[in-house]
Amino acid sequence: MITYYSTEHQRHHGVELKDAAIKPSFEKPGRADTILAQVRQAALGAVQPGQAHDSSLYVGAHSERYVRFLQQAWSDWTATGQTHDALPLIWPVRDLRSDLEPATIDGRLGFYSMDAGSPITAGTWAAISASADLALTGMATVQAGAPAAFALCRPPGHHAGPEMMGGYCYLNNAAIAAQQARRQGAQRVVVLDVDFHHGNGTQSIFYGRDDVLFVSLHGDPVHCYPYFSGHADEIGAGAGLGFNLNLPLSKGTAWPAYQAALQVAAQRVQAYAPDVLVVSLGVDTFEHDPISHFRLASADFVRLGESLATWGLPTLFVMEGGYMVDDIGRNVVNVLQGFEGGRAGAQPV
């Protein structure tokens, strides 16, 4: 399996507002570099750079004006004399206007975000555009006939909506890849999100469409970030009614319950009969993840990969979350090797 990786991700690392304090973000460069080291140690396959793509290919998953905002945000921020990371301080909630883009960067930061955990830094655009390009390159590989590819994307993307950054996410890499698959002739695409946190951005992008089925297994939003998205009764709207499946799971979920939910997902995907599968691969379902509360062991990630292999679909894995840096590489490679082996009893690395 080819892994696509870019060093550009190292240009982005900022601060977040968490637990009433400004502190370095949990989402840091060491995450991707640890995964890359494990991919190489496991001899998973070739590691290649992504191909550069025009930012117009990000439009479709996102709006033109949102992409333009991300491109210009740092220069707009520093033009005001600021030199520290840019974070929003006001959001257009409930009774406030959310249809008019503010003229100032302070207003636009809130207009295009959902939290104070996704800073804009000097290297953010370079990192997020390179990340999206990895997903596009991986999709091109799969559409050219490869059974699978792995886009080692950082920053992640699944919380980013049509016009919204948040949850460490800016461009929705998985959604951009799925949209590109449709442009290139795939009739039906599935995005399966196995990150601990609900992929609210991906859901929002495809909620009114029937050409992309979104399926997510995640922590119950009654208790878990992003709190306001991911409930079981969110099933799509308009043309997309019935093409959004959320499987929220309770605190302490271990492999037996997770596997049962995965089987429900498999039945829905089989009925949809897609041409290609995009997996938003988060491994923050790990039992020792510092900001999540599922109980999957490292060996369970082999089982997850094996299960996905039985779906028999061309598959693009797109990296999302996972914050136990010491174990993230092992858990990601377990999924990928389990998928490649496609056999019962595959051994964890």
Side-chain angles (χ1 to χ4, degrees):
M1 183 185 303
I2 296 176
T3 294
Y4 291 103
Y5 169 84
S6 170
T7 58
E8 290 293 291
H9 80 88
Q10 296 167 351
R11 299 178 62 181
H12 171 80
H13 185 221
V15 296
E16 63 177 315
L17 176 61
K18 184 174 177 61
D19 302 327
I22 297 290
K23 56 183 70 175
S25 176
F26 264 106
E27 203 293 292
K28 54 190 176 182
R31 297 178 60 249
D33 293 334
T34 299
I35 296 167
L36 179 65
Q38 190 68 65
V39 164
R40 285 176 165 154
Q41 181 178 329
L44 185 69
V47 176
Q48 297 183 5
Q51 298 297 312
H53 293 78
D54 191 85
S55 62
S56 63
L57 292 184
Y58 313 153
V59 176
H62 301 288
S63 73
E64 249 183 271
R65 67 177 184 174
Y66 174 66
V67 173
R68 183 170 59 249
F69 158 76
L70 290 174
Q71 288 175 305
Q72 299 175 354
W74 181 250
S75 60
D76 289 347
W77 178 249
T78 56
T80 67
Q82 306 286 2
T83 58
H84 53 279
D85 296 352
L87 288 173
L89 77 110
I90 186 168
W91 293 266
V93 298
R94 291 184 173 84
D95 296 334
L96 297 180
R97 292 287 295 270
S98 60
D99 57 327
L100 297 177
E101 182 185 39
T104 67
I105 184 59
D106 284 299
R108 287 197 297 276
L109 284 166
F111 186 75
Y112 289 118
S113 69
M114 73 177 196
D115 63 20
S118 303
I120 298 290
T121 75
T124 297
W125 176 252
I128 64 179
S129 57
S131 187
D133 288 348
L134 295 178
L136 287 167
T137 305
M139 178 54 72
T141 297
V142 170
Q143 289 193 290
F150 174 40
L152 209 178
C153 296
R154 181 189 171 266
H158 72 148
H159 293 305
E163 291 195 317
M164 180 181 64
M165 61 186 186
Y168 310 137
C169 302
Y170 304 84
L171 291 172
N172 193 314
N173 308 307
I176 288 169
Q179 180 67 27
Q180 182 66 357
R182 286 286 294 117
R183 285 193 193 101
Q184 297 299 317
Q187 295 300 301
R188 292 176 299 281
V189 181
V190 169
V191 179
L192 171 72
D193 195 322
V194 296
D195 190 280
F196 173 81
H197 304 96
H198 179 247
N200 60 287
T202 314
Q203 172 172 294
S204 179
I205 289 166
F206 297 119
Y207 203 65
R209 294 170 52 171
D210 61 2
D211 57 340
V212 179
L213 171 68
F214 178 64
V215 180
S216 179
L217 287 68
H218 52 270
D220 192 330
V222 169
H223 305 289
C224 306
Y225 183 96
Y227 302 110
F228 312 115
S229 181
H231 297 277
D233 63 352
E234 298 162 17
I235 60 172
L241 187 64
F243 295 92
N244 194 91
L245 175 62
N246 286 323
L247 299 166
L249 299 169
S250 61
K251 184 175 182 178
T253 290
W255 177 251
Y258 195 90
Q259 182 183 37
L262 192 63
Q263 289 171 343
V264 173
Q267 291 168 1
R268 183 67 185 87
V269 170
Q270 183 179 22
Y272 186 64
D275 300 307
V276 64
L277 170 66
V278 179
V279 179
S280 273
L281 179 58
V283 294
D284 43 1
T285 50
F286 182 50
E287 59 187 338
H288 300 305
D289 193 274
I291 62 174
S292 307
H293 55 63
F294 281 179
R295 293 289 178 266
L296 298 194
S298 287
D300 294 328
F301 292 101
V302 176
R303 300 182 182 103
L304 173 59
E306 291 172 344
S307 296
L308 296 179
T310 67
W311 294 14
L313 295 169
T315 302
L316 172 65
F317 292 92
V318 176
M319 193 64 213
E320 301 286 2
Y323 305 98
M324 189 66 183
V325 175
D326 290 346
D327 295 278
I328 186 173
R330 173 177 55 164
N331 293 336
V332 168
V333 169
N334 278 353
V335 174
L336 302 178
Q337 288 191 321
F339 181 89
E340 284 212 312
R343 62 186 187 278
Q347 295 299 308
V349 299

